[in-house]
PDB file of all heavy atoms in Angstrom:
ATOM      1  N   GLY A 119       1.897  16.840  33.860  1.00 98.00           N
ATOM      2  CA  GLY A 119       2.494  15.581  34.298  1.00 98.00           C
ATOM      3  C   GLY A 119       3.581  15.752  35.338  1.00 98.00           C
ATOM      4  O   GLY A 119       4.102  14.780  35.881  1.00 98.00           O
ATOM      5  N   LYS A 120       3.941  17.011  35.652  1.00 98.00           N
ATOM      6  CA  LYS A 120       5.071  17.204  36.589  1.00 98.00           C
ATOM      7  C   LYS A 120       4.663  16.835  38.006  1.00 98.00           C
ATOM      8  O   LYS A 120       3.475  16.910  38.366  1.00 98.00           O
ATOM      9  CB  LYS A 120       5.579  18.634  36.524  1.00 98.00           C
ATOM     10  CG  LYS A 120       4.611  19.693  36.971  1.00 98.00           C
ATOM     11  CD  LYS A 120       5.213  21.083  36.851  1.00 98.00           C
ATOM     12  CE  LYS A 120       5.416  21.524  35.425  1.00 98.00           C
ATOM     13  NZ  LYS A 120       6.321  22.601  35.230  1.00 98.00           N
ATOM     14  N   PRO A 121       5.640  16.429  38.857  1.00 98.00           N
ATOM     15  CA  PRO A 121       5.305  16.082  40.241  1.00 98.00           C
ATOM     16  C   PRO A 121       4.649  17.270  40.950  1.00 98.00           C
ATOM     17  O   PRO A 121       5.129  18.401  40.844  1.00 98.00           O
ATOM     18  CB  PRO A 121       6.665  15.759  40.866  1.00 98.00           C
ATOM     19  CG  PRO A 121       7.538  15.400  39.714  1.00 98.00           C
ATOM     20  CD  PRO A 121       7.051  16.207  38.551  1.00 98.00           C
ATOM     21  N   VAL A 122       3.579  16.991  41.675  1.00 97.00           N
ATOM     22  CA  VAL A 122       2.830  18.071  42.321  1.00 97.00           C
ATOM     23  C   VAL A 122       3.708  18.831  43.321  1.00 97.00           C
ATOM     24  O   VAL A 122       3.580  20.050  43.480  1.00 97.00           O
ATOM     25  CB  VAL A 122       1.526  17.515  42.971  1.00 97.00           C
ATOM     26  CG1 VAL A 122       1.824  16.589  44.136  1.00 97.00           C
ATOM     27  CG2 VAL A 122       0.615  18.654  43.390  1.00 97.00           C
ATOM     28  N   GLY A 123       4.645  18.119  43.951  1.00 97.00           N
ATOM     29  CA  GLY A 123       5.537  18.774  44.918  1.00 97.00           C
ATOM     30  C   GLY A 123       6.425  19.809  44.238  1.00 97.00           C
ATOM     31  O   GLY A 123       6.731  20.858  44.814  1.00 97.00           O
ATOM     32  N   VAL A 124       6.837  19.521  43.011  1.00 98.00           N
ATOM     33  CA  VAL A 124       7.666  20.472  42.250  1.00 98.00           C
ATOM     34  C   VAL A 124       6.832  21.696  41.879  1.00 98.00           C
ATOM     35  O   VAL A 124       7.270  22.845  42.022  1.00 98.00           O
ATOM     36  CB  VAL A 124       8.250  19.790  40.982  1.00 98.00           C
ATOM     37  CG1 VAL A 124       8.932  20.801  40.083  1.00 98.00           C
ATOM     38  CG2 VAL A 124       9.213  18.676  41.380  1.00 98.00           C
ATOM     39  N   ALA A 125       5.608  21.463  41.437  1.00 98.00           N
ATOM     40  CA  ALA A 125       4.739  22.590  41.070  1.00 98.00           C
ATOM     41  C   ALA A 125       4.466  23.470  42.292  1.00 98.00           C
ATOM     42  O   ALA A 125       4.413  24.690  42.194  1.00 98.00           O
ATOM     43  CB  ALA A 125       3.432  22.065  40.486  1.00 98.00           C
ATOM     44  N   ARG A 126       4.311  22.812  43.461  1.00 98.00           N
ATOM     45  CA  ARG A 126       4.045  23.537  44.713  1.00 98.00           C
ATOM     46  C   ARG A 126       5.257  24.364  45.138  1.00 98.00           C
ATOM     47  O   ARG A 126       5.140  25.470  45.628  1.00 98.00           O
ATOM     48  CB  ARG A 126       3.789  22.480  45.787  1.00 98.00           C
ATOM     49  CG  ARG A 126       2.621  22.757  46.668  1.00 98.00           C
ATOM     50  CD  ARG A 126       2.488  21.614  47.654  1.00 98.00           C
ATOM     51  NE  ARG A 126       1.426  20.695  47.326  1.00 98.00           N
ATOM     52  CZ  ARG A 126       1.502  19.359  47.446  1.00 98.00           C
ATOM     53  NH1 ARG A 126       2.623  18.775  47.860  1.00 98.00           N
ATOM     54  NH2 ARG A 126       0.463  18.618  47.155  1.00 98.00           N
ATOM     55  N   ALA A 127       6.454  23.795  44.927  1.00 98.00           N
ATOM     56  CA  ALA A 127       7.672  24.461  45.415  1.00 98.00           C
ATOM     57  C   ALA A 127       8.268  25.424  44.394  1.00 98.00           C
ATOM     58  O   ALA A 127       8.990  26.355  44.770  1.00 98.00           O
ATOM     59  CB  ALA A 127       8.721  23.397  45.766  1.00 98.00           C
ATOM     60  N   ALA A 128       8.008  25.192  43.114  1.00 98.00           N
ATOM     61  CA  ALA A 128       8.674  26.010  42.094  1.00 98.00           C
ATOM     62  C   ALA A 128       7.681  26.766  41.210  1.00 98.00           C
ATOM     63  O   ALA A 128       7.629  27.997  41.249  1.00 98.00           O
ATOM     64  CB  ALA A 128       9.589  25.140  41.242  1.00 98.00           C
ATOM     65  N   ASP A 129       6.874  26.048  40.444  1.00 98.00           N
ATOM     66  CA  ASP A 129       6.048  26.730  39.423  1.00 98.00           C
ATOM     67  C   ASP A 129       5.166  27.833  40.018  1.00 98.00           C
ATOM     68  O   ASP A 129       5.165  28.969  39.528  1.00 98.00           O
ATOM     69  CB  ASP A 129       5.147  25.722  38.689  1.00 98.00           C
ATOM     70  CG  ASP A 129       5.954  24.696  37.912  1.00 98.00           C
ATOM     71  OD1 ASP A 129       6.687  23.921  38.541  1.00 98.00           O
ATOM     72  OD2 ASP A 129       5.856  24.682  36.670  1.00 98.00           O
ATOM     73  N   VAL A 130       4.413  27.471  41.070  1.00 98.00           N
ATOM     74  CA  VAL A 130       3.445  28.454  41.587  1.00 98.00           C
ATOM     75  C   VAL A 130       4.160  29.604  42.317  1.00 98.00           C
ATOM     76  O   VAL A 130       3.924  30.777  41.991  1.00 98.00           O
ATOM     77  CB  VAL A 130       2.361  27.780  42.464  1.00 98.00           C
ATOM     78  CG1 VAL A 130       1.319  28.814  42.884  1.00 98.00           C
ATOM     79  CG2 VAL A 130       1.696  26.634  41.712  1.00 98.00           C
ATOM     80  N   PRO A 131       5.073  29.325  43.272  1.00 98.00           N
ATOM     81  CA  PRO A 131       5.746  30.458  43.945  1.00 98.00           C
ATOM     82  C   PRO A 131       6.543  31.342  42.990  1.00 98.00           C
ATOM     83  O   PRO A 131       6.584  32.560  43.174  1.00 98.00           O
ATOM     84  CB  PRO A 131       6.688  29.792  44.954  1.00 98.00           C
ATOM     85  CG  PRO A 131       6.310  28.368  45.023  1.00 98.00           C
ATOM     86  CD  PRO A 131       5.460  28.028  43.862  1.00 98.00           C
ATOM     87  N   LEU A 132       7.152  30.751  41.970  1.00 98.00           N
ATOM     88  CA  LEU A 132       7.893  31.587  41.009  1.00 98.00           C
ATOM     89  C   LEU A 132       6.940  32.507  40.241  1.00 98.00           C
ATOM     90  O   LEU A 132       7.262  33.666  39.962  1.00 98.00           O
ATOM     91  CB  LEU A 132       8.676  30.717  40.019  1.00 98.00           C
ATOM     92  CG  LEU A 132       9.994  30.112  40.533  1.00 98.00           C
ATOM     93  CD1 LEU A 132      10.528  29.075  39.537  1.00 98.00           C
ATOM     94  CD2 LEU A 132      11.057  31.175  40.787  1.00 98.00           C
ATOM     95  N   ALA A 133       5.750  31.988  39.926  1.00 99.00           N
ATOM     96  CA  ALA A 133       4.764  32.823  39.212  1.00 99.00           C
ATOM     97  C   ALA A 133       4.271  33.952  40.120  1.00 99.00           C
ATOM     98  O   ALA A 133       4.156  35.102  39.701  1.00 99.00           O
ATOM     99  CB  ALA A 133       3.598  31.956  38.729  1.00 99.00           C
ATOM    100  N   VAL A 134       4.017  33.622  41.388  1.00 99.00           N
ATOM    101  CA  VAL A 134       3.569  34.643  42.359  1.00 99.00           C
ATOM    102  C   VAL A 134       4.641  35.731  42.464  1.00 99.00           C
ATOM    103  O   VAL A 134       4.361  36.931  42.401  1.00 99.00           O
ATOM    104  CB  VAL A 134       3.317  33.985  43.739  1.00 99.00           C
ATOM    105  CG1 VAL A 134       3.108  35.053  44.818  1.00 99.00           C
ATOM    106  CG2 VAL A 134       2.113  33.040  43.672  1.00 99.00           C
ATOM    107  N   ASP A 135       5.879  35.295  42.616  1.00 98.00           N
ATOM    108  CA  ASP A 135       6.991  36.226  42.792  1.00 98.00           C
ATOM    109  C   ASP A 135       7.176  37.113  41.563  1.00 98.00           C
ATOM    110  O   ASP A 135       7.465  38.301  41.682  1.00 98.00           O
ATOM    111  CB  ASP A 135       8.260  35.389  43.024  1.00 98.00           C
ATOM    112  CG  ASP A 135       9.276  36.168  43.816  1.00 98.00           C
ATOM    113  OD1 ASP A 135       8.854  36.897  44.725  1.00 98.00           O
ATOM    114  OD2 ASP A 135      10.477  36.073  43.506  1.00 98.00           O
ATOM    115  N   LEU A 136       6.995  36.518  40.379  1.00 98.00           N
ATOM    116  CA  LEU A 136       7.140  37.285  39.141  1.00 98.00           C
ATOM    117  C   LEU A 136       6.097  38.407  39.090  1.00 98.00           C
ATOM    118  O   LEU A 136       6.423  39.560  38.793  1.00 98.00           O
ATOM    119  CB  LEU A 136       6.978  36.314  37.948  1.00 98.00           C
ATOM    120  CG  LEU A 136       7.283  36.774  36.531  1.00 98.00           C
ATOM    121  CD1 LEU A 136       6.246  37.754  35.995  1.00 98.00           C
ATOM    122  CD2 LEU A 136       8.660  37.372  36.376  1.00 98.00           C
ATOM    123  N   PHE A 137       4.846  38.068  39.439  1.00 99.00           N
ATOM    124  CA  PHE A 137       3.802  39.112  39.414  1.00 99.00           C
ATOM    125  C   PHE A 137       4.136  40.214  40.417  1.00 99.00           C
ATOM    126  O   PHE A 137       3.969  41.396  40.129  1.00 99.00           O
ATOM    127  CB  PHE A 137       2.421  38.509  39.706  1.00 99.00           C
ATOM    128  CG  PHE A 137       1.807  37.800  38.509  1.00 99.00           C
ATOM    129  CD1 PHE A 137       1.385  36.481  38.582  1.00 99.00           C
ATOM    130  CD2 PHE A 137       1.639  38.479  37.303  1.00 99.00           C
ATOM    131  CE1 PHE A 137       0.820  35.841  37.480  1.00 99.00           C
ATOM    132  CE2 PHE A 137       1.067  37.849  36.189  1.00 99.00           C
ATOM    133  CZ  PHE A 137       0.668  36.525  36.286  1.00 99.00           C
ATOM    134  N   ARG A 138       4.643  39.824  41.600  1.00 99.00           N
ATOM    135  CA  ARG A 138       4.948  40.861  42.606  1.00 99.00           C
ATOM    136  C   ARG A 138       6.106  41.738  42.123  1.00 99.00           C
ATOM    137  O   ARG A 138       6.071  42.966  42.275  1.00 99.00           O
ATOM    138  CB  ARG A 138       5.309  40.215  43.953  1.00 99.00           C
ATOM    139  CG  ARG A 138       4.127  39.525  44.583  1.00 99.00           C
ATOM    140  CD  ARG A 138       4.118  39.587  46.106  1.00 99.00           C
ATOM    141  NE  ARG A 138       2.867  39.048  46.591  1.00 99.00           N
ATOM    142  CZ  ARG A 138       2.730  37.861  47.199  1.00 99.00           C
ATOM    143  NH1 ARG A 138       3.800  37.121  47.458  1.00 99.00           N
ATOM    144  NH2 ARG A 138       1.538  37.443  47.577  1.00 99.00           N
ATOM    145  N   TYR A 139       7.115  41.099  41.549  1.00 98.00           N
ATOM    146  CA  TYR A 139       8.269  41.862  41.044  1.00 98.00           C
ATOM    147  C   TYR A 139       7.798  42.862  39.974  1.00 98.00           C
ATOM    148  O   TYR A 139       8.177  44.028  39.985  1.00 98.00           O
ATOM    149  CB  TYR A 139       9.301  40.876  40.478  1.00 98.00           C
ATOM    150  CG  TYR A 139      10.480  41.527  39.806  1.00 98.00           C
ATOM    151  CD1 TYR A 139      11.584  41.953  40.539  1.00 98.00           C
ATOM    152  CD2 TYR A 139      10.487  41.734  38.428  1.00 98.00           C
ATOM    153  CE1 TYR A 139      12.666  42.571  39.920  1.00 98.00           C
ATOM    154  CE2 TYR A 139      11.555  42.341  37.804  1.00 98.00           C
ATOM    155  CZ  TYR A 139      12.646  42.755  38.546  1.00 98.00           C
ATOM    156  OH  TYR A 139      13.709  43.366  37.928  1.00 98.00           O
ATOM    157  N   MET A 140       6.941  42.400  39.071  1.00 98.00           N
ATOM    158  CA  MET A 140       6.481  43.270  37.984  1.00 98.00           C
ATOM    159  C   MET A 140       5.513  44.337  38.500  1.00 98.00           C
ATOM    160  O   MET A 140       5.470  45.453  37.961  1.00 98.00           O
ATOM    161  CB  MET A 140       5.825  42.443  36.869  1.00 98.00           C
ATOM    162  CG  MET A 140       6.825  41.611  36.089  1.00 98.00           C
ATOM    163  SD  MET A 140       8.081  42.652  35.292  1.00 98.00           S
ATOM    164  CE  MET A 140       9.323  41.421  34.892  1.00 98.00           C
ATOM    165  N   ALA A 141       4.743  44.006  39.543  1.00 98.00           N
ATOM    166  CA  ALA A 141       3.850  45.016  40.147  1.00 98.00           C
ATOM    167  C   ALA A 141       4.683  46.217  40.586  1.00 98.00           C
ATOM    168  O   ALA A 141       4.296  47.373  40.403  1.00 98.00           O
ATOM    169  CB  ALA A 141       3.105  44.415  41.333  1.00 98.00           C
ATOM    170  N   GLY A 142       5.854  45.952  41.137  1.00 98.00           N
ATOM    171  CA  GLY A 142       6.739  47.029  41.582  1.00 98.00           C
ATOM    172  C   GLY A 142       7.228  47.896  40.434  1.00 98.00           C
ATOM    173  O   GLY A 142       7.401  49.106  40.574  1.00 98.00           O
ATOM    174  N   TRP A 143       7.421  47.287  39.269  1.00 98.00           N
ATOM    175  CA  TRP A 143       7.941  48.039  38.119  1.00 98.00           C
ATOM    176  C   TRP A 143       6.913  49.009  37.533  1.00 98.00           C
ATOM    177  O   TRP A 143       7.274  49.975  36.861  1.00 98.00           O
ATOM    178  CB  TRP A 143       8.420  47.085  37.012  1.00 98.00           C
ATOM    179  CG  TRP A 143       9.869  46.735  37.175  1.00 98.00           C
ATOM    180  CD1 TRP A 143      10.388  45.519  37.482  1.00 98.00           C
ATOM    181  CD2 TRP A 143      10.989  47.628  37.070  1.00 98.00           C
ATOM    182  NE1 TRP A 143      11.756  45.589  37.571  1.00 98.00           N
ATOM    183  CE2 TRP A 143      12.144  46.879  37.325  1.00 98.00           C
ATOM    184  CE3 TRP A 143      11.120  48.988  36.791  1.00 98.00           C
ATOM    185  CZ2 TRP A 143      13.420  47.433  37.302  1.00 98.00           C
ATOM    186  CZ3 TRP A 143      12.388  49.556  36.777  1.00 98.00           C
ATOM    187  CH2 TRP A 143      13.511  48.773  37.035  1.00 98.00           C
TER     188      TRP A 143
END
Side-chain angles (χ1 to χ4, degrees):
K120 64 181 69 198
V122 67
V124 172
R126 225 179 257 140
D129 297 64
V130 185
L132 282 170
V134 169
D135 206 38
L136 189 289
F137 282 125
R138 292 214 173 107
Y139 174 85
M140 289 300 164
W143 270 113

